[in-house]
Structure formats: structure tokens, C-alpha cells
Amino acid sequence: MALPEQAHAVLGHPVRRKEDMRFIQGRGRYLDDIVLPRMAYLALVRSPYAHARIRSIRVDAAKAIPGVLAVITGEDLEELGLAWMPTLAGDKQMVLAVGKVLFQYQEVAAVVGETREAAVDGAQAVEVDYEPLPVVVDPFRALEPDAPVLREDREQKTNHIWHWEVGDREATEEALRRSDVVIRERIRFQRVHPAPLEPCGCIADFDRITGRLTLYVTSQAPHAYRTLLALVTKLPEHMIRVISPDIGGGFGNKVAIYPGYVCAVVASMMLGRPVKWVETRTENLTSTSFARDYHMMVELGATREGKVTALRVKTIADHGAFDASANPTRFPAGLFSICTGSYDFPVAFAEVDAVYTNKAPGGISYRCSFRVTEASYLIERAMDILADELGMDPAELRRRNFIPPEKFPYRSALGWTYDSGNYVAALDRALELIGYEELRREQEERRRRGELMGIGISSYTEIVGAGPSHTFDIAGLKMFDSCEIRVHPTGKILARFGTRHQGQGHETTYAQIIAHELGVSVEDVLVEEGDTDTAPYGLGTYASRSTPTAGAAAAMCARRIREKARKIAAHLLEAAEEDIVWEEGRFIVRGVPGKSVTFPQVAFAAYTNPPPGMEPGLEAVYYYDPPNLTFPFGTYVCVVDIDKGTGQVKVRRFVGVDDCGTVINPMIVEGQIHGGLTEGFAIAFMQEIAYDENGNCLSSNFTEYLIPTAVETPRWELDRTVTPSPHHPLGAKGVGESANVGSPAAFVNAVVDALSHLGVRHIDMPITPWKIWRILREHGITE
Ligand code: CDP
């Protein structure tokens, strides 16, 4: 459809999202919309126990149900060498339980039926005899010497998985000892879940005649899936095609490979029919990758004047039954070492110990570049605690300790080279927008009246765009990304990418980048992602990496095309190549403005009239390996009022000033920030994947794991500063996750600020009315 007013709008313009044409009309093609001839359905039998030995599995009753085609158990998979699969974190995970189960809802058997109903009935008829074992849900208990060892398959007979540390332990110890003030706090980032609206699923279609497997799957990283499937199933990689159709939200939940996918592949190979598996909401919440679950002990030293001197962090990471996190190989705790944040720490030390418990596996990066949310929350909370200790305004404390703009590129105490930043500019703008001074006066006034009002600040720094391949790989695959551009003779463009959007708007923003580079309209560029048979190899979309990697690849690939086009333009204009300049979207003969050709004219010549000796056609592919990560940042300020009678927190205002460098599409960036803030709000106030002492998951549906609606969600007031990345071809930094990373601390800081005069220093999330009500009563505050 023509969008005439957009015809020449390119970089930096709020171009309406091309993909929304189909999404808002219900014409997206999601996994469950796909129906193949002779397709069968798969359902999983799951454990009701968090820890139990399996005495027996009886499948006869299930097989007798009309419409049941097959039942697969762990023992069947063992024969195929597929009972266990490798995780992206270098651990292994049971596909179907063998011997024992390690978390509630663990996959125990798979039933395939002619219909979904037959498969579910069959699953219910599978009889499993369990012998319950002692359950460990607390990671600290898991580390005690007498704790039951959960993973009997490992040589190491403890629940400790790995230890990771970074920084200078001795120098940090010494600096803390010499500090005038040291604050210490135990801060927990609770277990949460990405909870995309569309759950995970796949259709495995193995063609017995050709020997080819097509896997339609909700995957954020289709190429990585293809390679890993080839390695696990031993099918030749060129005989596997992974198609990732439209995806209804991923947020990191669709990076890992889940047992259901492997079972569907096995079932399709067994039956010679396509097999679909789509999980339920409860299966999604209880068995697929969770996020966070970090228990962090922070110590922050400072001078009495409020200059930070040292940071030390000790973290226990609860990974559940299998270490199924999705971090780059060299970083088992992700990029947690960004925990020095926006501040100029002379020295720091961080260590993380990962632990097995009887909970669902994972530890993935939910809308976060690998444990950056935990790090950002930690430092932004700690700075507020320090401000409280020093009796200093939290904005002033931040200002005193920011890495100053002239210090970039800045090498942090924990080893990162921040590419660029201007933290004070974002803070100043946010404080101005919210009217900070006036609010502080109002707060004093209200306190005198016995009212509870708080102001919370978070000046976050992110690290996104993994990554330079010398340092970053997942399962050995280097973390570059790619773009392929095919220019058709009429100047229209097909561009394909190794990334895979899940609602982020790539079909629009990538088209904007290419249109900007080649002087064509956004409408003339069709963007495709998600089919490994057609797209160039790439590592996928997560960790806000698409713009820093594939977005850069788009620009570089277009420039490669332009270089060839310039030669063709010289031929058409009968001028020397060095006299051809690219200006305002045209090739012009230097000094002769009237003598020019447009990009479509050149494209036509590439197929109809190429210069003698030149290879015809106009296509290119570019694999972009970024020289560094990008470091977006911003300041959020939140104002809350607390109802003393109910403990209810009302977010009165929330101002966000983000900086993601050059903005490709301000409307899409704003949408990304709205989404991230809404998720951050939900995490701060209502969400937790909780367990009872028997390992029963207490958050298995949306009545227990709450999703904010428009009714609860605050109004977001946004602005931005622009500090371009010096190494990205367009100066852009990633933004998809900034708001989820930076906002939880702003909400919590605001609530604690409202209660700080009572002596409250910290409250763990989620901050429910009940928690606040109890705190108020403990401090003798009633209505
Ligand atoms: O990897 P993911 O797509 O989740 O994150 P991203 O690279 O931060 O991009 C999210 C969306 O915002 C994409 O459509 C980007 O092109 C867009 N974006 C933008 O318009 N300008 C930026 N500086 C960064 C992202």
C-alpha cells in the first residue's frame, strides 16, 4: 500500500511501521497459524514433583487412546543418544527425564496424537510412579555441605556450578578498608519471566524422501538453532531448514532450545509426518527460561564528601536444575561486570557463584544484554543507599561520581571500554523535566503533614551489541551479524538479515537505513528475516544487538553496493570514477550538478548496460563484526505517593531521558522504551516466579504472575539526548532493553525514598501493597 507522505522520509524520521499493516489486521503468520497437511500434535507429560526418582513409566493406557500415534520416553531417547541435550551455557539438560526429575513441570514423556486433544488425553493417561526426594529451593541451602546433591549425573558431588570473578580483589579490599564510609546491603533481584504473549512452539517436518528437516519454530536465533540441531541430531546442516515465522514477543524467552522441540523432531522422524508442539501459558511460565534470581551482597565505599572509592559485589546465582542460561561463552555471569555503572570507580571486584536448585532451568537475559539489568539495579540501588548514609541528595551524589564526558572512551575498573557518554546531560534534562527542586520542597512539606511521597532516580549505563568476535561467541559461534542486499533491475530492493525481530520493527528500521544509504524510498526496500535457507548467517535478535550489529551490517552492505553503483554511474555519465560524488541521494559529476543519475537508473544499468568487463548484477552481502559494544545510557526519575492505609504505591510521574546515539526511528525507539518501562514497572511492583518449600511453582498463570494493563501502567514522559557511538557506522546504539534495565531501580528508589525518614534503607522487589503495609505497621504508621 502506498504511504506517499513517507516516500522520502528516511533516517531519524518516525516512519510508520511497515509490518503493522499485517499485525493490526490480524494477518501476522505466527507459528500456531501454520497448518501442514497430515500434521500431528505433540503434548508433554510433566512432573508434579520438584525432586523425585522415577520408579516406572507406564504408557499402555496412553497408547490405547484413540488417535494417539506414539509415546516417547526418556529411555526411547536414550537409545537415540538424545535423552540429554547441551545447553547454551555448556551444561547438559534432560530432554525427557531419565531416572529422576529435578523440577516441577519437568518434561517426562511426549505423546503424539492425530489431534491436539488426542495428544493431551494421551499425556494424561501416561502413568508415572514417582518416589519423592528432599527438595532444595533456596540457593544458600543448596550450598550447605549436607544439602542433597541434585545433579547425580555430574562428577562434582555438590550443587555448586561455577565460580566467576573479575577485578582486583586485594586493591578493593584495601580501598574499602580506607574508605570513610562503607555501605553494605543484601539486594535480591527476584526470579522473573519474560512471559511473551505468544508462548514457544514448533512444527518439525521431516521429509523421509528427501531426508530434509524443516523446523518452523519460535526462535530469536534461527541460524544458531540450525547449527545446534545439526550438532545434536547429527543431521547434515544443509538438510535442515529453520523458519522462524512472525513472533509474538521473545524478550530472551525464545533463545534457548527446549525439550519440546527435540521431541517434535524425533516424533516427525519416527512418523514421517509434520508434528506440531505448542506450549500452554502454564508450561511457558513454569518450564521455559526464567530470568534474574540473583542474590547480591554489595559493599560500596566512599569519602565523606561523597566520592566513591570502591565497589565489591558477591552474588549467588540460582540457575535452577540445569544451567540453561544463554550467555556468551567467556561470560558465565553475562556482562554483570558492568556493575560499576555510570560512575568513575577507581577499583572494583565482583564475583558470582552459580548454584543448582529444584527449580526450572534458565538464567536468561530477559530484555537485557546478559545480566546487565541485575548489575544496573544493584549499582543504582547502592548509590541511593550511600546517599542516604551520607545525608546527601541522590542526584548530587550521582553528579559527583559520573564518568565525565571528556574521559570517553573510558576504561572501567572491571575492564570494559565505554565508547561514549554524557551522563550529566541526561540527568540534568530529566531533573529539569520533572521539576526536581520543586518536588523536593513538596516532599518536605508533605512529610510535615505525615504524607508519604518519594522521588527515585536511576542513571543507568548499558552495554549492548555483542559483540566483537574476538571476545564474544555463543556455543563457539562468533557473535557477528549480517545483511544481504539484492537490488532488482528496477531499483527495488530485497534485504535479508541474520537477525529475527519479535516486534521490534526491523522491517521498517533496516529499510530506513538502506534507503538512507542508497537514496531510495523506504517503501522500495523489503526486509526479510527468519529463514535459514535464504537469510545470511547471523546470531539473531536478543540483547539489543540488532542495531549495533545487523543495523551496522545494513549500512556497510549498502555502502558496498554504492561503491559498485558509483562505477556504473561513471560509465553512464561518461566521467572518471573519481569525479563521481554521492550527494543528496544521487550520483553527480563533480562540479556539474546538472549531470547526475539516480540509484534506480544505475540499478537498471547494472542489468542492462554494465560497463565493459564488469560483472553484471547489483548484490552484496556483509558480515559485520563490531569493534566494540555500544553503551547506551539515560536517567529515569520516578515520583510515587504511598497510601498509608493500604500500602498501595501510586506512580504519580515518570520521566525518562534515554540516549541511544543516533536514532533511526524515534517512534519505534519511543515504543521500545514504553514497553521496557512497563515491564520494569511490573517487575518492581508485581512479578515474581515464586516457589513454596516443596518446589511447587506459585506463579504458573497470569492470575498469579501479573501482567500490567493500561489501567495500572503509569504515563511515561520521555525525552532524549544524542551521544553517537563513535564506532557504529551510523552512530547508533541499541535501545530495545534500556528501559527494562534502567527502570526497576527508579521505582524502588522512589518507594524507599518515601520511607527513608522512617529508617527504611532497602525493600526487595516486587514491592506489593502487602509488603509496604507491613513495613508501615512495623514503624507504627497507620492511616
Ligand atoms: O536487538 P533488538 O532489535 O531487540 O534491539 P535494538 O537493536 O535496540 O532495536 C530495537 C528497535 O529500535 C529496532 O527497530 C531498531 O532499529 C530501533 N532503533 C532505532 O530506531 N534507533 C536506535 N538508535 C536503536 C534502535
Side-chain angles (χ1 to χ4, degrees), residues 189-190 192-197 248-253 292 365-368 373 502 671-688 705-709 713-714 716 735-744 747 765-766:
F189 205 129
Q190 78 274 27
V192 293
H193 198 282
L197 281 188
F251 311 112
N253 189 236
R292 327 286 191 241
S365 314
Y366 161 23
R367 205 169 189 162
C368 144
T373 310
Q502 313 116 47
Q672 294 290 302
I673 294 167
H674 278 204
L677 290 177
T678 306
E679 287 179 328
F681 167 74
I683 288 167
F685 292 111
M686 50 182 85
Q687 295 181 336
E688 177 172 15
Y705 193 77
L706 303 180
I707 301 293
T709 68
T713 304
W716 312 118
V735 78
E737 300 167 333
S738 297
N740 195 328
V741 168
S743 69
F747 296 113
M765 300 182 289

Side-chain angles (χ1 to χ4, degrees), residues 501-502 504-506 509-510 513 541-548 660-666 668-669 672 732-737:
H501 71 87
Q502 313 116 47
Q504 292 94 329
H506 293 177
T509 48
Y510 289 167
I513 294 172
T541 291
Y542 43 85
S544 291
R545 66 184 297 278
S546 302
T547 305
C660 59
T662 307
V663 171
I664 294 155
N665 185 322
I668 288 180
V669 166
Q672 294 290 302
K733 304 178 177 187
V735 78
E737 300 167 333

